[in-house]
Structure formats: C-alpha cells, structure tokens
Amino acid sequence: MQNDGMPGQGRSRLLLALGLTAVLLAPVPSAQAAQTAQAAERAPDRSVVTSGSARFQVLSPTLIRTEFAGDAKFVDAGTFNVVGRTKFTSPRFTTRTGNGWLTIDTGEMTLRYRTGSGAFAADNLQVRLTAGRQSVQAAPWAGQGAVACAFATLCEAEALSLDGLARATDHSGYTGGGFAAGYEAPGSSLRFSVNAPSSGTFQLAVRYANDRGGDGQVTGRTLRAVVDGDAGQQFALAPTGSWDTWAVVNVPVTLSAGRHEVTIVRGPAESGQVNVDSLALTETGAAYPAPSVPIPQPCSFGTVCEADTGVLAGGAKIADDHNGYSGKGFVAGMERAESSDTITVNGVPKAGKYQLQLRYANAKAGSQPVQTRTVAVQVGSATASTLDLKATSGWDHWRTVTAPVTLAAGTNTVKLGCPAEDSCHVNIDTVALTTTGETLLVPHAPLGGYRRGLDGVNGDAKSTPGLLYQDGWSLLDDTASALWNPATKKVTQRASHAGGYQDGYVFGYGQDYSTGLSDLSKLTGPTLTLPKWAYGVWYAEYYDRTAAQFQEIVRRFQKEKVPLDVLVVDTDFKKPDRWNGWSIDETRFPDPKGFNDWLHAQGLHTTWNIHPSILGSDPKFAAAQATAKGKLKRTGCNGGADCYSFDWGDPDQLAAYLDLHDDIEKQGVDFWWLDWCCDASSSSLAGVTPDAWINQQYAERNGFAFSRAYGSLQAGGYSNPASVATGPWADKRTTLHFTGDTLSTWETLQAQVGYTPGESAATGLAAISHDIGGHTGGLQEPGSEPGSTKLPDDLYARWVQLGTFQPIDRLHSNHSDRLPWQYGPAAQASAEKFLKLRKKLQPYTYAAAQEATRTGTPIVRPLYLAYPGEQEAYASAGSEYLYGPDLLVAPVTTAGTSATTSVWFPPGSTWKDYFTGKKYKGGSTAQITTGLDTMPVFVKS
C-alpha cells in the first residue's frame, strides 16, 4: 500500500467520495434567487416590534436586530456589511409589555428593553439565553459608544473607544496597560464621555510621545479635539525627544454642565503620528492626575469572576498580551513561591464543601519545557491544597478545571499561589465558587480572532475578537457602516438623527456556534467559494525570474510528477520600476501573452503582483492623472519619493487605478495579487474599510480578490491589528485573505495551526492563505540559487505538511527555496508526497469550501465548533483542528526528523490514523510519533 494513499478504502466516511461529494457539492443557489424565494415566504412587518424610538426585528430564534433612532426615523436599507436581512424567514416569537419593560421571547433567546428609556445601554437592554446548561444574562450594548472618563481623573488612552488606533506596549514610560498608537491617517481617533461639573472653560490634558514618524521626520505634530461633534480645535504636540519620553499638552475646552463626548482625532488637516498614553479633563491650571490603583473587587458566590480583580502579590500582575481572555485582562507573573492572587468570595449560603472553578492557560514559559504546573489553593488560614494544571496548546487557549474547597458561610478568602519556584508559570483568567457538581460556568471570552496581517510576527499575535464568545452571545454593531445599494454598487452615508442612532445585531447562539456562523453568513453574506483550481497547489517566490525560468520550474514540477495549479509572478516583472511599474519588462517577459497561453495549456492559472501606487516618471502616469482629474497625490512609497497613490473612494481615482491593469490583464493574467503593504493608497469612503472596498472592485473584475482584509494599512501602521469601527464582516464575500510576511520559525509554524481556524470562526471567512514556509528571516541557511536561502529540512517538510491541510496551499518566500528538489532526500520525498496528497484531497477541500458558503461552517474548523461542551476542545485549539467534516489534523511543530505530538481525540467517534490505519478511541489522548514522511492525521469513522 502506498503511504500517500488512503487506508481502508470503502470503510471510511471520507472515502465514500461519491456520496460525500454529492452532498457537499450540492448547487449553491444564487443570492438573487435565494433572496427572492425567501422574501416571498415572509412578511417583513411580522418580524418587527417597535417601542417608541426603539425598533427590534427578529431575524431568527438566535438573531435580533436592535435599532434606536432618537427621531424615530428608522432605516430599512442594507449596509455594506449587512446585505442579507431579507434572507431570513420570520421565526415564531412572543412579545409582551409590562412593568415598564418590552419582552421578546424567541424560545432560544429573551430580549428585554425598558420602554421609553432612550438609547441602548447596559441598564435598559438585556438578553437571556442558555449556553449548555448555564443560564446567561448579558447587556449587549454595555460598553458601546464613548467610554466614560470621570472628571479630574486620569484615563488610560488604550482603554477608551478607539477607531483605527491600537493598544501598544513597544515603548517604555507609559502608565496602565499600554498606550494608543496609530495616528497615521485621517480618521484615526479616540473617544470618551465626561460629565462637566459646571459650565465654563476647562483643561483637556493629553499625555503623549512624539518622535520620528513614518515620514522620517522629527517635527511638531497636530491633532484635533472635537466636543459633541463640533468643528473642533486643532492643537499642537511638540517633539518629546524619544518615543520613551512623554509630555503633557493642555487644550482649553468650553463646556456646559453635564455629559459631553470628546474625540481626539486626526482630521484631514492634522499631521498625527503621535502616541497617546492617557488624558484627563480637569479644572484649568490643575496638576495632571496620578494613575489610579486598581481596587480589588469581591466575587459573588455562583458567578464567574475575573481573577485580575483579586489582591495580587509577589510579582503577580494584570496582563492582556494574549488572546481569548475574559474581561480586561488576566493574572500573569505567577512565577515565584510568593506569587499569589487572593479572591474574596461573598454570599456562600452555608458552611460546607464546594467547588472552585479555575480558567487558566499553561504553555511554554521561557526556556522551560511545556509541562503540568501546580497551583496552591488556600481558603482563609486553612492548610493549602494543590491543583494540577495540565498544559494547554498555547497562551491563547484556555481550560477550566475544578477543585474541591471547604467554605464557611458568608464571606471567605481564597488564595491562589505557587507551592514552589517552578510550579505555577500559568496565566489565570477567571474563577468561580459554586456548589459541588455545578456545571462549568463559562465567561464572556472570545473564541478566535482576526487581524489584517501577520507581517513580522514570530509566534502568536494579538488579534481582535469577532463573532463567537464562549458564553454564546455577541453584538455586531453596524452603526458606523455605510448604506449600500448592490444594484448600483454605490455606498451612501447614513443620515444624522436627532437624539442619536444605534444599529446592531444581537446574536444568541448559546453553545451552538455553528448556528451563530450560519446566522452571520445570511446576515452579512456568505464566504466566497473560490474556483476549484484554487484549492490545489500554488508556487510563488519573491525572486527575479524570466519567463523562460518560470517555464523551467513548471517543467520540473511535471518531471517530478508533483502537481501545480497556480503560478504566482511576483513584482520583478514590472517596468520602469520593479515595485510599482505598470508595464511588463520585455527583457524578462518578451512575449507575456505567449507565456500565459503556455501556462494555460499546461492547465495552470496565474496571478501577477500589484502594488497600489505609480511613479510620476511612469509613462502611464499622465493618462492616469488625467483620468483622476489631477487628484493623484505625491506621497512617496517603496518605489521612491516620486510616488503617487490613489484614493479609491474617489470614483475618478478608482477608475484611474483600475485602468492601469488593462494592458497587463490582456496578456492573459487570470487574477491579481494586491500586495498592499507599503504604499499610501486608501479610501475616503466613510463606513467602508479600504480593504473591503478595493477587494470588492477586484472581485467584480476577476471573481475574487487576493489581498489583505479587515481594515486599512493606513488605519494604524504596517499590519496594524487594531479593529475598525465597521468590523471585519464584508471581506469574506470577496476575499482570499493573504496574511502577510511572517518569519520562518518553528514558533510561527505553531501559531498558524490555531490562527487559521480561529480567524475563520471569528469572521466567517473560509479562504485564508499563509506563506507556506514563512516569508523571510528566522531560520535560514544558504540556498540553491544566487542570493537565496533555504529552511532547515525538518522545518520545510513540516510546513509543507501544514499547507496540505490549509484552505490554500501556497508555497511562498522572500528569496528562499520552497521547491521540494531544493532540499535533502527525506525532506524532498516528504514534500512531494504531501503536495500529491493535497491534489488528491482537492475535491474534498472544494466540497468543504462549498459547505462553508452554504452553511457558514469554515473549511478549517476549531474543535469547539463540533464539540462545544468539551473543555479539551478549547484547550487543544492551538494544536489541532478539523479539516472539513472528517479529518482531524494535528500538525507537527517541533524540530527533528522524528517528533512526538500529543493528540486529543474528540468523543463520539473512532479515529483512524490516515497513514497507518491504527484506530484511536474518541475521548482519549495519545502520543503520536511521526517521521518526516508522515504527520498526525486521522479520519473520523
């Protein structure tokens, strides 16, 4: 039997290819047909409940639109995010009004709104649902809008409402948990509300740092202070000497008594490029307030409590530098014998035996091996007991465990500590004290996350939460999204509303996360199914090659009988500038159409690289500037100082940009790779992110966009992870997400195992593409070509294995070998075997992609989608995942020609090793040892 064949043919669900494919490849109805059919089945007005200035639309048992219009002028038009409200069939629900509350009950979720109470907030709109056996109550609109900042109190900028800005910690001297960075483009802002004690002129004090900006200058900068939406006033920020040096600028503001919203924004006339640490609104002439010290908070018996609200000692500290935690942070620094976190729990009903529930992460701590750790649990002055904490699959992945405790009636202290120096080294997120045998209480902790790119990342990266939370509810705030007319392909800004406006969608999926993704898919449009060939093998390399050299590579693929479906031509084909020229260099491609025709004859498709700028010296610049009606701006870019960029939100500039593609596209280019990393093009369309807008244009032109997603480079810097006000929801309809230039290390390989399913679960986008092998840096050795490098053989082989079970298998690098025959015999054999396996799995992958479009369940699936009640599904989410419905994949991410991987097998099924045929019982954990020729892959049976 060949090792790259599937064992037990005819016995596995996966191998029932015709039956499985027939189900998964069922035709996907056109959006127009589905909309027409479903709209006919429902009467929209039956799903709507109005209460004064508030309106609610029940779209499904687990999804309710909440809309507040102070002038009662409600909006029925769709937005660029929300394109599918008419695709829902009205469910059954009941309503009642009594004791001043409107109650809507769908059977799955109950929503309550206090009638006549105005805009949605924490105290007037609540939902109740169940997550497993746990009853969950939530206030979805709590914390939305401007964060409150008390008068005469220092407020940390990173904790305020940020748009286009990100919390950063890469400089020193800040207070709190970091600072707000990213005033790099107009529109970036922070916002807060404050109550003025009286009418008069006050002092807005801003603590900031200003050093060498992205434009290479050390100079005075400006921002604008806007109060309650007025024109605002510009204020200056002098250089501070370094990014680690902070100064305070005082801005006079005149306010009436009462509540106000203040925004510090970089408008079109401001230069920005500063960091803001904190701010305060005080009496004129007052000293800058000192940072506040967190006050410990008691924990009520029977509830989930944040561990960071306890009393910390011995180096224990509050941190937020990982993902997946509940609340504002978690407890870190538990590294010494004296480290501790003491929780005060009140409301214990009577003396007796109870249960401590502890949510924690335990991963690699410095140079120490990953291992089980131990925490001491001490109630009052009693003798401490110990609780073993098994490793989790990374610092972003959490497990909840229980331990018996004896409590007195009323109030108790529970101290969590380290029995010995090497015992803890864990992060603690939440605690709960409950009756013995109580169901595990889950917090409002995000599952997965997204960010624009992974450029320069070595290992895990901070991401932004998306749709899914462990306690089963979330709010999609669509207030900032622009209105969208799909017939005209035009966006318009929302009209202003006297008394304010809010538009958001409350999801209440409980632990049925797949239903949440299905609702999201209907509401915001399904993830795009790419052409079948896109799910094969791609080859790319940032290396200057001629047409003849590309042909040699294709012939070598053919000679070695290694499949190839997509050939990527990187930036060096261009002239007059290899970065952003808009003509083909005939010295490299003397007959580009003939070259592309030849590729097509070999059964290949091709994408060519584009950077979104143009030099003033480019022969095509004059025509582009004429089409743009003279509006292209000289901004400078990687191509040099004489570089002009585009505002895609301006129709003239968008037309000029798209016209530049025509001559090259006529040569047979199938689609474009918008390598949008280092140029200043953007979009002035408010309510639509530049990524989403330009990706829409490419999708209309070529079927899909191969580009970035979720935001704008100019909204906060290179690969900025900051979320944007309009969210990540539109990109999945158009985009194959290219995640950027990662480092070639084992740490990055390991991080990508959990990142792909996490991004898919957070956003619904199924088509995600990493540079297989990493892009640059990291572990590099001399390569096989002039100026090239290569990876260690084991790292290369294991990364190719990961790519086999990713949505897109795209070999790519920066002048680094990625071809199997550029490596030693064992690595070459492994890579060729897995690239062939990728081709063999292409129908299965394509079927899973179609299922993702139809149902919202992605290709690469975190285990908790299918096993939401299993703690191991969450703890293992960084080391294994489901690939489609039937394959369990646990990629090897440790060095060596042989490696042992711990694999948890989900319950309810038997799992058969794809390569050996050995079976494993569901609900068990096993240590799987594989050489370079295999990896842990299992078929559900």
Side-chain angles (χ1 to χ4, degrees):
M1 179 177 66
Q2 296 294 320
N3 283 341
D4 60 354
M6 296 185 182
Q9 293 188 8
R11 296 189 298 273
S12 166
R13 287 182 58 206
L14 176 62
L15 298 179
L16 296 176
L18 293 178
L20 176 64
T21 303
V23 173
L24 293 180
L25 295 183
V28 179
S30 72
Q32 182 177 1
Q35 181 173 330
T36 300
Q38 293 183 357
E41 295 174 3
R42 61 184 289 272
D45 58 325
R46 290 179 53 207
S47 68
V48 173
V49 180
T50 302
S51 177
S53 295
R55 185 171 73 157
F56 306 91
Q57 184 177 7
V58 182
L59 297 172
S60 83
T62 51
L63 178 60
I64 299 177
R65 182 188 184 192
T66 59
E67 183 184 17
F68 172 81
D71 53 8
K73 295 180 179 178
F74 301 111
V75 180
D76 290 315
T79 68
F80 197 75
N81 280 334
V82 174
V83 297
R85 283 201 304 265
T86 60
K87 296 181 180 180
F88 291 87
T89 301
S90 294
R92 293 180 179 273
F93 63 92
T94 61
T95 65
R96 64 181 184 276
T97 301
N99 298 321
W101 289 84
L102 166 69
T103 301
I104 300 174
D105 188 350
T106 71
E108 298 290 336
M109 174 170 58
T110 301
L111 180 148
R112 300 175 71 238
Y113 172 69
R114 193 168 69 239
T115 57
S117 60
F120 304 136
D123 60 350
N124 71 349
L125 192 146
Q126 301 160 1
V127 296
R128 187 173 65 248
L129 62 145
T130 58
R133 292 184 296 163
Q134 177 182 346
S135 178
V136 175
Q137 296 190 47
W141 282 96
Q144 301 299 312
V147 173
C149 177
F151 184 81
T153 300
L154 180 146
C155 294
E156 299 293 348
E158 71 276 8
L160 302 179
S161 303
L162 305 181
D163 185 1
L165 304 180
R167 171 192 170 274
T169 58
D170 54 340
H171 299 298
S172 63
Y174 58 82
T175 60
F179 53 89
Y183 274 111
E184 299 185 17
S188 300
S189 68
L190 62 82
R191 183 164 53 107
F192 65 96
S193 65
V194 63
N195 282 302
S198 60
S199 297
T201 299
F202 300 92
Q203 177 178 279
L204 173 61
V206 180
R207 188 171 192 258
Y208 73 96
N210 174 16
D211 193 39
R212 189 175 303 278
D215 56 5
Q217 300 183 58
V218 178
T219 185
R221 305 290 185 177
T222 55
L223 290 173
R224 182 169 294 268
V226 176
V227 178
D228 297 331
D230 66 8
Q233 60 176 309
Q234 187 181 87
F235 62 94
L237 305 101
T240 58
S242 78
W243 287 116
D244 301 321
T245 304
W246 302 85
V248 175
V249 59
N250 295 315
V251 184
V253 292
T254 300
L255 305 174
S256 59
R259 184 183 182 277
H260 299 273
E261 286 197 4
V262 181
T263 303
I264 299 177
V265 62
R266 179 182 174 182
E270 282 71 55
S271 55
Q273 302 204 40
V274 297
N275 295 332
V276 177
D277 177 38
S278 58
L279 53 81
L281 187 74
T282 68
E283 298 287 354
T284 300
Y288 195 70
S292 59
V293 178
I295 300 174
Q297 300 293 322
C299 174
S300 296
F301 180 82
T303 64
V304 176
C305 301
E306 301 296 331
D308 50 283
T309 61
V311 178
L312 307 181
K317 60 184 180 181
I318 300 173
D320 63 355
D321 56 338
H322 298 298
N323 300 306
Y325 59 84
S326 169
K328 296 181 179 180
F330 52 86
V331 174
M334 302 280 284
E335 300 169 0
R336 307 200 306 267
E338 59 267 29
S339 300
S340 65
D341 178 12
T342 302
I343 308 293
T344 299
V345 57
N346 53 29
V348 178
K350 62 180 180 179
K353 295 185 181 299
Y354 292 95
Q355 177 177 272
L356 167 70
Q357 300 184 6
L358 181 71
R359 188 174 192 254
Y360 74 94
N362 171 17
K364 186 172 178 58
S367 60
Q368 297 184 20
V370 177
Q371 56 188 294
T372 296
R373 303 286 184 173
T374 304
V375 65
V377 181
Q378 182 180 18
V379 178
S381 59
T383 302
S385 60
T386 58
L387 173 61
D388 288 341
L389 305 177
K390 295 189 302 179
T392 58
S393 58
W395 291 115
D396 293 340
H397 307 288
W398 306 79
R399 177 190 287 114
T400 301
V401 294
T402 64
V405 292
T406 300
L407 302 176
T411 299
N412 296 252
T413 59
V414 178
K415 182 179 180 180
L416 308 174
C418 296
E421 291 291 326
D422 64 346
S423 57
C424 280
H425 291 279
V426 295
N427 293 335
I428 301 174
D429 183 34
T430 64
V431 295
L433 279 302
T434 69
T435 57
T436 301
E438 176 68 50
T439 185
L440 289 182
L441 303 180
V442 295
H444 190 59
L447 298 173
Y450 65 95
R451 58 183 281 153
R452 187 172 192 263
L454 301 174
D455 305 82
V457 168
N458 183 24
D460 294 320
K462 282 285 289 181
S463 60
T464 299
L467 175 75
L468 296 184
Y469 283 77
Q470 197 168 354
D471 63 347
W473 68 270
S474 59
L475 173 73
L476 190 163
D477 185 353
D478 200 41
T479 307
S481 184
L483 302 182
W484 166 248
N485 186 327
T488 63
K489 307 293 184 183
K490 292 183 178 180
V491 296
T492 56
Q493 299 312 303
R494 293 180 186 263
S496 60
H497 293 260
Y501 185 76
Q502 296 168 294
D503 188 11
Y505 297 81
V506 177
F507 289 77
Y509 39 78
Q511 284 197 330
D512 189 353
Y513 305 132
S514 294
T515 289
L517 287 169
S518 176
D519 282 345
L520 179 71
S521 180
K522 289 181 181 179
L523 182 69
T524 62
T527 189
L528 186 68
T529 301
L530 303 175
K532 187 175 183 179
W533 47 261
Y535 300 103
V537 176
W538 296 42
Y539 170 72
E541 185 180 356
Y542 177 28
Y543 193 96
D544 186 9
R545 300 194 190 280
T546 65
Q549 290 169 333
F550 276 117
Q551 288 175 319
E552 289 178 9
I553 290 173
V554 172
R555 293 190 182 100
R556 184 65 184 269
F557 270 93
Q558 295 169 337
K559 177 182 177 182
E560 302 293 338
K561 295 183 172 54
V562 175
L564 181 63
D565 295 87
V566 180
L567 181 74
V568 180
V569 178
D570 213 323
T571 190
D572 287 317
F573 74 89
K574 302 165 188 168
K575 74 170 190 180
D577 185 86
R578 294 191 188 185
W579 180 262
N580 58 358
W582 288 94
S583 299
I584 297 174
D585 184 349
E586 63 274 4
T587 66
R588 294 173 174 81
F589 290 84
D591 179 12
K593 188 175 188 308
F595 170 74
N596 286 324
D597 288 346
W598 181 85
L599 289 178
H600 294 151
Q602 311 308 307
L604 303 181
H605 290 78
T606 182
T607 179
W608 291 38
N609 176 284
I610 288 296
H611 293 111
S613 60
I614 185 171
L615 294 184
S617 58
D618 194 300
K620 295 187 176 180
F621 175 73
Q625 185 68 293
T627 301
K629 299 179 181 177
K631 289 178 282 187
L632 299 184
K633 294 181 179 179
R634 191 172 189 264
T635 55
C637 68
N638 270 25
D642 185 31
C643 179
Y644 290 74
S645 58
F646 301 83
D647 175 2
W648 292 317
D650 175 68
D652 298 323
Q653 295 185 60
L654 177 62
Y657 175 73
L658 294 175
D659 286 351
L660 286 169
H661 296 65
D662 291 345
D663 289 344
I664 303 176
E665 193 169 286
K666 290 175 183 175
Q667 307 306 312
V669 173
D670 295 302
F671 63 105
W672 297 98
W673 170 20
L674 177 58
D675 188 11
W676 186 15
C677 81
C678 315
D679 299 350
S681 289
S682 61
S683 171
S684 60
L685 286 176
V688 182
T689 67
D691 279 338
W693 183 244
I694 195 60
N695 291 347
Q696 174 82 25
Q697 315 311 313
Y698 277 105
E700 291 175 3
R701 184 182 186 104
N702 303 113
F704 65 95
F706 175 33
S707 181
R708 306 284 179 143
Y710 310 138
S712 164
L713 173 66
Q714 287 71 33
Y718 189 59
S719 69
N720 172 45
S723 59
V724 290
T726 52
W729 313 116
D731 288 280
K732 69 179 182 299
R733 305 191 300 259
T734 60
T735 307
L736 164 55
H737 182 200
F738 154 61
T739 60
D741 299 345
T742 51
L743 297 181
S744 295
T745 64
W746 287 102
E747 290 81 5
T748 299
L749 171 61
Q750 194 280 327
Q752 290 182 354
V753 174
Y755 181 84
T756 310
E759 180 184 323
S760 290
T763 67
L765 191 153
I768 299 165
S769 176
H770 301 298
D771 290 1
I772 298 303
H775 184 74
T776 192
L779 301 176
Q780 301 286 352
E781 303 170 357
S784 61
E785 298 184 87
S788 74
T789 59
K790 66 186 290 290
L791 306 179
D793 279 21
D794 54 350
L795 179 58
Y796 171 72
R798 296 304 190 184
W799 219 313
V800 172
Q801 291 176 1
L802 171 79
T804 302
F805 300 95
Q806 289 287 291
I808 301 297
D809 191 4
R810 180 176 54 85
L811 306 174
H812 184 53
S813 71
N814 176 9
H815 298 77
S816 183
D817 295 347
R818 292 294 180 267
L819 298 169
W821 40 90
Q822 294 171 321
Y823 286 83
Q828 175 180 351
S830 175
E832 291 184 352
K833 170 181 175 177
F834 278 90
L835 292 173
K836 292 175 182 177
L837 176 56
R838 173 69 181 192
K839 188 66 175 179
K840 190 168 187 177
L841 288 171
Q842 191 171 9
Y844 176 80
T845 305
Y846 183 59
Q850 289 190 307
E851 182 184 12
T853 300
R854 189 173 61 253
T855 68
T857 301
I859 300 170
V860 175
R861 309 169 182 187
L863 293 175
Y864 48 74
L865 287 189
Y867 305 95
E870 301 292 331
Q871 280 297 309
E872 293 308 309
Y874 303 92
S876 302
S879 60
E880 56 187 280
Y881 56 82
L882 292 172
Y883 187 70
D886 291 291
L887 291 178
L888 176 67
V889 181
V892 175
T893 59
T894 54
T897 57
S898 177
T900 298
T901 306
S902 180
V903 179
W904 174 69
F905 296 97
S909 303
T910 298
W911 298 90
K912 181 187 297 184
D913 189 304
Y914 179 83
F915 297 99
T916 68
K918 183 176 179 179
K919 294 182 179 180
Y920 297 86
K921 183 180 179 181
S924 66
T925 299
Q927 305 303 308
I928 310 299
T929 300
T930 58
L932 291 185
D933 60 330
T934 59
M935 67 180 291
V937 178
F938 306 90
V939 183
K940 183 166 63 175
S941 60

